[in-house]
Amino acid sequence: MGRVVSNAFGYGGRSSKAVLCLMAGLCLAPGAMTAQAASVDMTAVSEPHEKPLPPPAPVLARIPFTEGDATVSRNAETQIVAFAHDFRKKSGRLMIVAHAGPPRGQGLDARRISLKRARKVRGILIREGIVKERILVRALAGVEDNGPTERVDINYAGR
């Protein structure tokens, strides 16, 4: 940060107070009694660049949802029913992984929504004949890949 901040109290420098003043965008001009907005180059104080999200892992079924909603659409239900009829004939267990909210998000509301989604998908699978002991559930908040953010993934979980 190459800017020097000074105020009516004669303070000038690059200490943490100056940095906070610049980050807040409010600085006192020399002789001024009220704060005024300062033009700040935010590239100097922006977050370090995060790694891009990886592509989503392959799954047996990916069920899309509307943002902030746990209602299973007719198309999604048809997809789940078709999957259940096919999987009934096979052995092994399923892992349902539900996501909600922004990528890498960890909000409590997003976790609640994802749990509701996972339980609804699980309920449809059970209704269609898959034994509940064959179904594992994970309710997560934000995705950790660059796939759709509002979804439930169904995958093979082994024996």
Side-chain angles (χ1 to χ4, degrees), residues 14-83:
R14 295 183 186 159
S15 72
S16 61
K17 290 181 183 178
V19 171
L20 288 175
C21 178
L22 284 173
M23 289 173 69
L26 298 173
C27 300
L28 291 176
M33 298 306 284
T34 60
Q36 62 187 19
S39 63
V40 178
D41 178 15
M42 290 307 290
T43 58
V45 293
S46 65
E47 295 286 325
H49 295 289
E50 294 181 7
K51 292 181 184 176
L53 294 170
V59 294
L60 298 176
R62 179 161 285 140
I63 314 301
F65 282 84
T66 305
E67 184 176 345
D69 192 12
T71 306
V72 179
S73 69
R74 286 186 180 175
N75 290 339
E77 186 167 357
T78 303
Q79 182 182 358
I80 297 166
V81 168
F83 173 81

Side-chain angles (χ1 to χ4, degrees), residues 4 13 37 48 52 73 77 93 95 103-104 120 130 145 147 150:
V4 176
S73 69
E77 186 167 357
R93 298 186 307 175
M95 172 68 75
R104 296 187 175 119
K120 288 191 177 196
I130 296 181
D145 57 36
E150 308 292 328

